[in-house]
Amino acid sequence: PTIPIMSNDDDATKSKKQRWFPLESNPSLINKYIQKLGFDTSLYEFVDVFSTEDWAIDMIPQPVAAVLMLYPLTETQLKAPRDDTIAAKEMEDKIWFIKQRIGNACGTIGLLHALLNAPEPLRMFQDESWIKNFADDCPIPLSPTAKAEKLEGDAKIATLHDAATSSSENATSRGNIED
């Protein structure tokens, strides 16, 4: 479930801000989640990267289409002024970007960035699936904030995300929604 909280964030446009349970960094769980979103994982799927050393990189199936990184934010990052720059001017019409305004939704946001910026032949979305419909409703030219508003108002993605975070495939507990 999502828990609305009041926010002083200008981006929240004086509405209630949602918080989701965090998505576990677990390739099996993530692959099942993106299948439910409507991505065909028959050719591409997420795998663990254990290190950036050569021995570990050699274990990664090739070719690689995207990398999803999990790391804690530092105090410096948290205190830094927010920069709404998406990409260099010459790339703005080629990069799909959504602003994250839902607390703990970074896993889903990262997956959306990875899947919706994949080269066209890799965008294997099932017809009438959630991700196909969301991609159609939120094309690249739509502002990152407008995309975020659509995501915030979408009960189906909240339900799909919640189901993934409460899956029995999780290797850890669901955690605290406030973390």
Side-chain angles (χ1 to χ4, degrees):
T2 59
I3 297 178
I5 59 172
M6 292 307 291
S7 172
N8 293 328
D9 187 351
D10 291 340
D11 286 337
T13 59
K14 299 181 182 174
S15 66
K16 292 186 177 184
K17 195 169 182 182
Q18 299 177 41
R19 289 190 70 78
W20 292 353
F21 281 99
L23 185 64
E24 182 175 289
S25 180
N26 172 333
S28 175
L29 181 131
I30 288 172
N31 289 322
K32 286 181 179 164
Y33 178 42
I34 64 174
Q35 284 174 336
K36 289 178 182 174
L37 295 180
F39 182 78
D40 178 1
T41 58
S42 63
L43 295 177
Y44 287 90
E45 62 182 10
F46 284 90
V47 299
D48 272 325
V49 176
F50 298 108
S51 174
T52 56
E53 296 176 29
D54 289 342
W55 66 266
I57 299 298
D58 291 342
M59 295 170 36
I60 300 170
Q62 299 294 317
V64 172
V67 175
L68 189 64
M69 290 184 55
L70 171 67
Y71 65 94
L73 294 176
T74 65
E75 282 299 316
T76 302
Q77 289 171 310
L78 292 170
K79 290 179 181 175
R82 295 186 182 206
D83 182 2
D84 285 347
T85 302
I86 298 167
K89 279 282 184 211
E90 63 272 8
M91 293 298 293
E92 279 186 349
D93 62 340
K94 295 174 178 65
I95 304 292
W96 190 94
F97 184 77
I98 185 171
K99 201 162 193 162
Q100 180 183 336
R101 301 189 331 174
I102 300 172
N104 292 332
C106 54
T108 291
I109 298 295
L111 289 169
L112 291 175
H113 285 138
L115 298 175
L116 295 175
N117 281 304
E120 199 58 45
L122 304 182
R123 296 172 109 209
M124 300 175 291
F125 305 149
Q126 298 165 2
D127 290 337
E128 301 305 315
S129 65
W130 181 87
I131 195 154
K132 172 80 169 90
N133 292 334
F134 191 73
D136 290 346
D137 290 345
C138 297
I140 288 173
L142 189 66
S143 78
T145 300
K147 291 173 188 148
E149 289 169 356
K150 287 186 178 282
L151 189 73
E152 291 164 349
D154 191 318
K156 183 164 185 172
I157 188 61
T159 299
L160 290 167
H161 177 99
D162 190 63
T165 65
S166 60
S167 169
S168 61
E169 295 228 10
N170 281 331
T172 62
S173 73
R174 194 168 187 197
N176 182 341
I177 201 164
E178 297 304 323
D179 288 342

